[in-house]
Amino acid sequence: MEPTADHLATSATRLSPLPLVRLSRAAYEAVPGGFDGAWWPYSHNLADELPVLLEAMDGVGSITRVTLGIELWPDVPHQIAVGGHIVGVGWFVSGHDQNEMVLCSYRDGFRTLLVIPPTMVADTAAWLMDTPVPVDGSRTATELLAVAAARSDATPLVGPLRSDGRREVVPVGMPVEMT
């Protein structure tokens, strides 16, 4: 699949105010070989979504290139303008997980994000945003999305009362210990 955008830098123009970015991040040093965070964009429009993400990641300026799986994005610009800086955008068709994005920074090195599809159910996406990723990189983006989908397919049971007064939610098939 080839991107359909031209070689000129794309600058996002929104009619509405910028939404809050849906991003969770781990401390950079805490995740060698794993994901540095998760991003849940609102749409498949990369020209709109990418500037918001990049500004949330580092303000403006240190990220110089983004590489991502092309299957999630119908149009991938070759460059994108963010706060007066130009960020190069590249893509991969194979060899990397399509739900993975690599941000290249001259200051911080590489950061890898799990990209949660915009169409993901809110509860499942929230679980992915809050789920710690193994630091050894043993879970790929595809595996994490499959675990999340299987988890959301299970009907929850109401479990025991926690110390904070809320009930524990336990997926079907998991033993519930009532105390």
Side-chain angles (χ1 to χ4, degrees), residues 10-134:
T10 301
S11 180
T13 55
R14 287 185 185 261
L15 299 176
S16 61
L18 292 174
L20 294 175
V21 66
R22 298 184 293 193
L23 173 67
S24 65
R25 297 191 306 185
Y28 184 62
E29 298 80 21
V31 196
F35 289 102
D36 298 298
W39 175 49
W40 184 27
Y42 291 92
S43 72
H44 290 282
N45 185 337
L46 195 59
D48 278 351
E49 299 289 346
L50 197 52
V52 178
L53 171 67
L54 296 178
E55 287 181 17
M57 284 298 293
D58 79 331
V60 176
S62 79
I63 295 177
T64 58
R65 183 152 185 82
V66 175
T67 307
L68 46 88
I70 198 169
E71 288 179 10
L72 290 178
W73 315 102
D75 294 314
V76 178
H78 291 259
Q79 297 177 332
I80 198 154
V82 180
H85 290 76
I86 301 297
V87 177
V89 181
W91 58 90
F92 42 81
V93 177
S94 62
H96 287 281
D97 202 310
Q98 292 295 305
N99 288 85
E100 184 176 295
M101 176 181 284
V102 179
L103 306 172
C104 307
S105 167
Y106 66 82
R107 183 180 63 213
D108 297 324
F110 296 94
R111 291 186 179 247
T112 304
L113 297 178
L114 168 67
V115 179
I116 301 168
T119 55
M120 180 73 64
V121 175
D123 290 346
T124 304
W127 182 82
L128 281 165
M129 299 282 282
D130 292 337
T131 300
V133 178

